[in-house]
Amino acid sequence: MSRFKGSRATAKLHWNEMDRIERKDAAQLVAGQQGLHIVSVGSPVPRRKQERARAKCLRALILELHGFGVTRLCLEAREKELNARDIRTVVTTRQTALPKGTQIRAEHMPGATEPLLWISDIVAGAVRAHRQGDHTYTELLGPTLLDFDVTTDC
């Protein structure tokens, strides 16, 4: 992933800063990685309720990941208070929605220091493009992609 960023002046790779060819190359690179890329897509998401919608999507994602045996979740770091909110969502989900004794932990890492987090940005960008009518990138991701809707009730 670091090599793919190239000489960009930004701290990390961003889907929104890529042109169409770079996006295609990025999707092909991600498709070549082992694993499944799981995306929870929440709607509606009014501007003033984005954190509530994020929590609902995170909860749904945790439940899905649990079904695949995932025990560690790495999230891109944001502000300290928002990171704490994410952790509360993980803990609450583990305590209220998963079988007793389930082990799943989450940690935050700065996006600039963990290039593997850039994969999430690429996959999310591909899913967004798909939902806006451009299927190019999700077709490249093929069976490595699982996306599902989350009703946010926001």
Side-chain angles (χ1 to χ4, degrees):
M1 293 307 300
S2 295
R3 286 191 305 259
F4 186 73
K5 179 182 168 264
S7 60
R8 294 178 192 274
T10 59
K12 59 185 181 177
L13 190 64
H14 284 285
W15 178 265
N16 291 334
E17 295 173 357
M18 291 186 233
D19 63 29
R20 197 164 168 74
I21 293 170
E22 291 171 321
R23 287 177 177 178
K24 186 177 177 182
D25 290 345
Q28 287 176 324
L29 177 67
V30 170
Q33 305 300 308
Q34 284 188 324
L36 184 62
H37 306 288
I38 304 172
V39 181
S40 60
V41 181
S43 64
V45 184
R47 183 180 275 302
R48 296 183 64 146
K49 299 203 177 181
Q50 288 185 0
E51 287 304 315
R52 180 177 179 200
R54 177 185 171 94
K56 289 191 174 221
C57 287
L58 180 55
R59 176 184 170 88
L61 182 62
I62 292 165
L63 296 173
E64 194 70 31
L65 292 172
H66 171 72
F68 285 98
V70 173
T71 59
R72 181 175 174 241
L73 180 60
C74 182
L75 302 164
E76 186 168 352
R78 305 184 299 153
E79 297 172 19
K80 186 177 180 179
E81 179 183 313
L82 298 177
N83 290 348
R85 192 177 291 183
D86 287 344
I87 297 300
R88 282 194 304 273
T89 298
V90 173
V91 170
T92 300
T93 302
R94 186 180 64 227
Q95 292 173 343
T96 62
L98 295 175
K100 188 174 183 167
T102 296
Q103 297 296 313
I104 187 164
R105 66 184 181 108
E107 62 183 297
H108 288 86
M109 300 181 81
T113 62
E114 182 47 74
L116 291 177
L117 287 170
W118 305 346
I119 293 173
S120 299
D121 186 68
I122 293 165
V123 173
V127 169
R128 182 172 185 229
H130 178 87
R131 288 171 180 251
Q132 292 175 336
D134 184 351
H135 304 255
T136 304
Y137 315 109
T138 53
E139 286 175 2
L140 290 168
L141 292 171
T144 69
L145 175 64
L146 169 63
D147 66 311
F148 60 94
D149 294 311
V150 177
T151 302
T152 63
D153 297 322
C154 292

